Amino acid sequence: MIIELGHYMLILAFALSLVQSVVPIWGAQIDDNRMMSVASPIAITQFLFVGLAFAALTHAYVTSDFSVQNVWENSHSTQPLLYKYTSVWGNHEGSMLLWVFILVIFGAMVGAFGRNLPPKLKANTLGVQGWITAAFLLFVLVTSNPFHRIADAPIEGRDLNPILQDVGLAIHPPLLYLGYVGFSISFAFSIAALLEGRIDAAWARWVRPWVLTAWGFLTLGISMGSYWAYYELGWGGYWFWDPVENASFMPWLCGTALLHSAIVMEKRGALKVWTILLSILTFSLSLLGTFLVRSGVLTSVHAFATDPGRGVFILILLVAFIGGGLSLFAWRASMLRQGGVFAPISREGSLVLNNLFLSAATAAVLVGTLYPLALEATTGAKISVGAPFFNLTFGPMMIPLLIAVPFGPLLAWKRGDLGAAMQRLWTALGIAILTVILVYGYVEGGPALAPLGIGIGVWLVIGSFAEIQLRSGFFKNSFSKAISRMFGMPKSVWGAALGHLGVGMTVIGIVVASSYQLEDISIMKVGDSRTIAGYTFTFEGMKESSEHNYSDVAGTFRVTEGDKLVTTLNPVKRVYNTRGMPTTETDIYTIWGVTQLYMSLGDKQDNGAMAVRIYYKPWVTFIWLGSLVMFFGACFSLADRRLRIGAPARKGRAKQAASTA
């Protein structure tokens, strides 16, 4: 009965989405406040209905109701409770329900917290959100129904894919979807603005919190997926330029450009057309990622292998929303007024430069991702585009962008002074150059350009706080006054500084870990030792054990540095009973919070020996710590009252009160 109720809730939500997609927009066209006012309650009610449907499916997984086909195919009664919960979105049907659930969450948030939005803009925005919701609810109901019953219920389920039975699955997909789907709001705002024909600085301020929210969650989602692949797959890598990885990376790059473009539009009323286009393209790339993962055109550890019919349905949605959005943009863009003029050397100019490089980088990743698919579809030839291509195209475009980042916040609006900005960055430049010299002088091995990459990372880290130093007057004012001025700064200033700091940390982590990591892959018997980076790994034995739904073999390795015991590592080779599928469970020891000793087991040999991978990865944690710092930067910016939707209205009321007095 609960399952049927969940299915019925989805049908009701679909019916409401049809109403939401028509009535508010029509009301905005004829200026009928009653019709426009239905948007918010419908959006909130949709959230309740889809939430009940999601809860019904979750209940079926937790109670192991194998009369539901989706539960039977992706769960098992012996699974730990955590993985019964994560199994809900560890499959195509359940993950699409999560996609729609997050979609209606964002719609309900606009309905509940967008009280200060102009009525027409709010009605049109929620109406466009209703189009998206209706389309994906129809997709779920027609092709991907998670509530389909089995006539003769099996006694036991087929179990979840073993590599997905990990705590990372409880975190990675929801965060990624919050980013993917979150950009639907900026898309809806843009289409609504095009429908109304009115876009101004207030629009940019209203849309920026939603862009920041989606960007922050997408940053965390990509980072968590990277770390999951790093420790779960046992290859010792954190990024493989896999097409599905690229599918999430492209909207992040485009969303980063959108975030900076919206700043120019808010502050100077410029780049209106470009900001709208970026908003449409960012969500379009999110839809493209959804298509790649679910169409069956890719074979990837990240992808859901689904039937071609679903891929065709998503392709139709892709063409409708991307083609419709770009067509509306082409029709209405000429009607938009352009903003103020600015010099090339200015803060606006630096943000335009940021946009150009990010857009070009996105295009490079897009070509590298889609070209093999297009070639295979047209000629049947199969090629692989991997790291060499992306390193030669994406990497060089990032270098000038990263060098330019610290200059932006130090340049004035409209017309800046590059020399004055450089004077404030002498310290950062000096420390970066000193770092390069020290790395060249004292670190052996590695690529010749690696120290320069580290220097660029240090330049970003030190330069990210140049604006804070300038505003606070450190080294000019007294210490107490400087501290007081620091705490009085707008939170968005701190947010930008933390965002740039996080990028610098990630750059340092990528360059150091990629350039100076050490690797030893060998066959080891009990008693054998291997030494890497001064650490000796001694194989002390193996232990077999079994749990409810798997059996495993764990190796015991004593790690010493000279005569000092550092730690004991226990990597595991695990086989799940139901599917008979092996997985690798790595063991990782972190040194001083930045460097990691990494071990994974391969296959057992006939003579009782084990294949063993040992990695020494210096500063590798900076890759993910930098992502966390970027997310905290987004949170700081969101905490700034000036960036919240209510800020313009409050400012307006304050000015009105002042003029009245």
Side-chain angles (χ1 to χ4, degrees), residues 399 402-403 428-463 501 503-517 618-619 622:
I399 292 174
L402 296 176
I403 293 174
L429 179 62
I431 295 175
I433 293 174
L434 180 61
T435 301
V436 173
I437 294 172
L438 291 175
V439 174
Y440 267 121
Y442 291 97
V443 179
E444 297 180 358
L449 295 179
L452 293 177
I454 298 171
I456 290 174
V458 172
W459 161 257
L460 276 168
V461 169
I462 306 300
L501 169 65
V503 173
M505 292 175 64
T506 298
V507 168
I508 292 172
I510 290 173
V511 173
V512 176
S514 301
S515 303
Y516 301 108
Q517 73 171 11
W619 291 73
F622 259 43

Side-chain angles (χ1 to χ4, degrees), residues 345-380:
I345 304 299
S346 62
R347 187 172 299 194
E348 297 98 321
S350 70
L351 293 173
V352 169
L353 182 70
N354 163 291
N355 273 223
L356 291 175
F357 278 109
L358 286 173
S359 300
T362 304
V365 178
L366 181 66
V367 170
T369 303
L370 296 186
Y371 177 72
L373 302 177
L375 185 67
E376 182 178 357
T378 54
T379 67

Side-chain angles (χ1 to χ4, degrees), residues 99-320:
W99 208 99
V100 174
F101 184 40
I102 293 175
L103 185 66
V104 296
I105 287 176
F106 277 100
M109 289 174 65
V110 173
F113 303 114
R115 292 185 293 272
N116 289 309
L117 288 170
K120 284 189 178 182
L121 178 62
K122 184 177 181 181
N124 283 327
T125 299
L126 288 176
V128 175
Q129 195 75 358
W131 298 348
I132 303 170
T133 306
F136 279 93
L137 277 172
L138 183 63
F139 173 75
V140 170
L141 289 169
V142 173
T143 72
S144 310
N145 183 10
F147 298 110
H148 185 267
R149 289 278 196 181
I150 301 175
D152 298 319
I155 298 175
E156 192 53 84
R158 297 173 60 185
D159 204 8
L160 179 66
N161 187 334
I163 65 171
L164 301 181
Q165 295 190 39
D166 183 84
V167 68
L169 186 67
I171 305 171
H172 168 53
L175 289 175
L176 199 63
Y177 288 2
L178 283 167
Y180 265 163
V181 182
F183 284 121
S184 68
I185 293 295
S186 60
F187 172 83
F189 267 100
S190 297
I191 299 300
L194 289 173
L195 289 172
E196 190 177 353
R198 179 184 174 186
I199 302 174
D200 51 22
W203 178 91
R205 181 167 292 185
W206 283 316
V207 81
R208 271 186 68 196
W210 303 104
V211 176
L212 262 173
T213 301
W215 180 87
F217 280 119
L218 186 57
T219 301
L220 277 188
I222 293 173
S223 177
M224 187 64 239
S226 167
Y227 192 66
W228 171 81
Y230 171 73
Y231 73 77
E232 178 65 23
L233 301 182
W235 303 338
Y238 49 85
W239 192 260
F240 305 98
W241 292 109
D242 179 287
V244 179
E245 290 177 327
N246 296 346
S248 62
F249 189 44
M250 287 186 290
W252 185 88
L253 289 170
C254 203
T256 305
L258 171 62
L259 192 58
H260 290 83
S261 180
I263 295 174
V264 178
M265 185 174 169
E266 177 191 343
K267 299 293 185 182
R268 296 278 298 136
L271 303 184
K272 293 179 182 179
V273 175
W274 179 241
T275 303
I276 294 292
L277 179 60
L278 280 177
S279 182
I280 295 172
L281 292 178
T282 301
F283 184 60
S284 298
L285 290 170
S286 296
L287 292 178
L288 177 64
T290 303
F291 169 74
L292 291 175
V293 173
R294 300 170 195 287
S295 62
V297 300
L298 293 178
T299 301
S300 167
V301 68
H302 307 82
F304 292 103
T306 59
D307 62 81
R310 291 171 175 169
V312 171
F313 199 115
I314 296 180
L315 185 59
I316 293 172
L317 297 182
L318 196 69
V319 172

Side-chain angles (χ1 to χ4, degrees), residues 378-636:
T378 54
T379 67
K382 293 186 178 182
I383 64 169
S384 176
V385 175
F389 168 82
F390 293 104
N391 291 340
L392 289 173
T393 55
F394 179 82
M397 281 186 282
M398 287 294 99
I399 292 174
L401 173 61
L402 296 176
I403 293 174
V405 164
F407 286 96
L410 300 178
L411 294 173
W413 294 104
K414 196 173 182 179
R415 183 179 298 276
D417 187 339
L418 189 61
M422 188 66 248
Q423 288 179 357
R424 299 177 183 117
L425 289 169
W426 279 122
T427 302
L429 179 62
I431 295 175
I433 293 174
L434 180 61
T435 301
V436 173
I437 294 172
L438 291 175
V439 174
Y440 267 121
Y442 291 97
V443 179
E444 297 180 358
L449 295 179
L452 293 177
I454 298 171
I456 290 174
V458 172
W459 161 257
L460 276 168
V461 169
I462 306 300
S464 62
F465 289 101
E467 183 182 14
I468 291 177
Q469 186 273 327
L470 175 65
R471 288 195 177 206
S472 64
F474 256 108
F475 310 121
K476 292 183 178 180
N477 298 322
S478 65
F479 180 77
S480 59
K481 184 176 180 180
I483 292 294
S484 175
R485 294 181 67 173
M486 281 178 60
F487 283 103
M489 289 180 194
K491 292 184 177 64
S492 59
V493 175
W494 283 98
L498 289 173
H500 295 161
L501 169 65
V503 173
M505 292 175 64
T506 298
V507 168
I508 292 172
I510 290 173
V511 173
V512 176
S514 301
S515 303
Y516 301 108
Q517 73 171 11
L518 299 175
E519 175 185 18
D520 183 277
I521 303 175
S522 56
I523 305 297
M524 296 181 67
K525 298 180 181 178
V526 175
D528 287 351
S529 296
R530 296 288 185 273
T531 299
I532 181 172
Y535 296 93
T536 301
F537 298 77
T538 304
F539 190 8
E540 294 193 327
M542 293 184 295
K543 180 181 179 181
E544 298 185 4
S545 62
S546 61
E547 295 293 337
H548 295 296
N549 60 330
Y550 64 82
S551 58
D552 59 30
V553 176
T556 300
F557 294 82
R558 183 164 49 90
V559 183
T560 57
E561 185 180 16
D563 296 329
K564 177 186 175 184
L565 176 65
V566 176
T567 187
T568 299
L569 296 177
N570 301 105
V572 174
K573 195 71 175 180
R574 181 172 294 169
V575 177
Y576 284 78
N577 302 330
T578 303
R579 297 202 180 196
M581 181 177 175
T583 63
T584 300
E585 306 296 325
T586 60
D587 199 3
I588 301 172
Y589 178 72
T590 304
I591 304 168
W592 298 108
V594 292
T595 298
Q596 291 188 334
L597 304 178
Y598 178 110
M599 289 196 71
S600 63
L601 294 180
D603 296 328
K604 188 175 181 179
Q605 309 299 304
D606 294 336
N607 60 358
M610 292 291 294
V612 179
R613 288 176 177 265
I614 305 172
Y615 294 95
Y616 169 78
K617 293 184 169 292
W619 291 73
V620 69
T621 62
F622 259 43
I623 297 172
W624 305 292
L625 290 175
S627 298
L628 284 175
V629 172
M630 283 186 255
F631 175 74
F632 288 135
C635 293
F636 263 84

